[in-house]
Amino acid sequence: MGVLNTTPDSFSDGGSCPDTASAVARGLELVRDGADIVDVGGESTRPGAAPVDAAEETDRIVPVVAKLAERQVVVSIDTTKPAVAAAALAAGAEIVNDISGLRSGEMRALVAEAGAGVVIMHMQGAPGTMQDEPTYDDVVGEVEAFLLASIDSAMAAGVRPERIAIDPGIGFGKTLEHNLELLAATPRLAAHGYPVLIGHSRKRFLGTISGIDRPADRDGVSAVLSGILGFLGASVVRVHDVKVTEDALLTAAAIVRQSTA
């Protein structure tokens, strides 16, 4: 899954696609580099980000979604707002990537009626405050329980189980230690039978580990982790640099094939 932000304030690439033409060009570049899905977002969810109203978010994403869908690109829409998701699905998006974990009954009903795919993510708090001393007694158990309960709610609303993926929400209300515990628990989450999506690319915890301060310089370490996550059972990695990630995943897959030959 390639990241395509149409925002001025995303943490690593805000403002890099200031208009529809540049955003569409970037989306097509992600596909050429190997992305199976292009994840379009119109509201930054970095720690401390200010909210954007539905009308502005819709204006940012709909023209981009429509033009990518016309080119047969599989598009996911990264939003928590049912109105934005509805507009994106009408424009040709196929997946709703909801960082709020499909808490909204309106969003559950929308996804069910549209027959869309959905990514259910865990987040403690809200983007503006989520990194203000996040705490858990058992981060893996609590995130796992939330995701399973959210799956039950989605299916009760009519969302088909084969349309559901889960995301532990790396960096969304988690410390470095929480992130590492959740990443190590990828096999446990995958054992429930739902595709696991991990969004780790360029995030601050990788900078803390590697000493790389500038987010855009973290693509190498992000790719290394993507390869590891492939070993651990993740089905999808959400990344900014698709080409280097594709190379890492191909190398990891070759080693796996050799080890099981």
Side-chain angles (χ1 to χ4, degrees), residues 5-257:
N5 289 316
T6 62
T7 56
D9 57 345
S10 291
F11 78 97
S12 76
D13 59 357
S16 63
C17 295
D19 53 39
T20 297
S22 61
V24 171
R26 176 58 179 154
L28 295 175
E29 180 183 22
L30 291 169
V31 173
R32 288 194 298 273
D33 285 345
D36 300 292
I37 304 164
V38 174
D39 191 45
V40 178
E43 179 180 41
S44 176
T45 54
R46 62 177 173 78
V52 175
D53 66 49
E56 182 176 357
E57 189 178 344
T58 299
D59 288 345
R60 289 176 178 177
I61 60 94
V62 163
V64 178
V65 171
K67 289 187 178 297
L68 289 175
E70 287 174 5
R71 300 290 293 271
Q72 308 303 308
V73 175
V74 177
V75 176
S76 59
I77 176 64
D78 180 358
T79 188
T80 62
K81 301 181 183 71
V84 176
L89 291 171
E94 300 179 40
I95 301 164
V96 175
N97 183 11
D98 183 1
I99 66 164
S100 70
L102 218 61
R103 289 183 172 95
S104 164
E106 185 179 355
M107 186 74 94
R108 293 194 294 269
L110 171 67
V111 170
E113 183 177 355
V118 64
V119 180
I120 299 174
M121 196 194 84
H122 175 275
M123 173 173 57
Q124 186 179 93
T129 59
M130 63 187 179
Q131 290 305 108
D132 295 347
E133 300 183 9
T135 58
Y136 301 84
D137 292 325
D138 172 9
V139 65
V140 174
E142 290 172 45
V143 169
E144 179 181 46
F146 171 85
L147 292 172
L148 294 176
S150 296
I151 288 169
D152 288 344
S153 295
M155 291 194 294
V159 179
R160 296 181 62 84
E162 67 270 18
R163 305 296 287 166
I164 296 171
I166 56 175
D167 178 351
I170 301 301
F172 285 84
K174 282 94 176 176
T175 64
L176 169 61
E177 291 73 19
H178 295 147
N179 290 327
L180 294 176
E181 287 186 57
L182 287 165
L183 291 168
T186 299
R188 174 171 164 178
L189 297 176
H192 292 288
Y194 299 93
V196 175
L197 182 152
I198 304 290
H200 58 286
S201 178
R202 297 183 178 176
K203 288 189 175 177
R204 183 181 301 172
F205 81 100
L206 291 175
T208 301
I209 293 169
S210 66
I212 300 172
D213 292 331
R214 184 170 175 263
D217 292 336
R218 298 173 190 156
D219 289 329
V221 69
S222 298
V224 169
L225 180 51
S226 293
I228 294 169
L229 292 167
F231 275 118
L232 294 178
S235 296
V236 185
V237 286
R238 181 182 182 275
V239 298
H240 297 83
D241 189 328
V242 169
K243 184 64 175 70
V244 70
T245 303
E246 179 84 349
D247 294 343
L249 292 172
L250 288 172
T251 301
I255 294 170
V256 169
R257 285 195 301 272

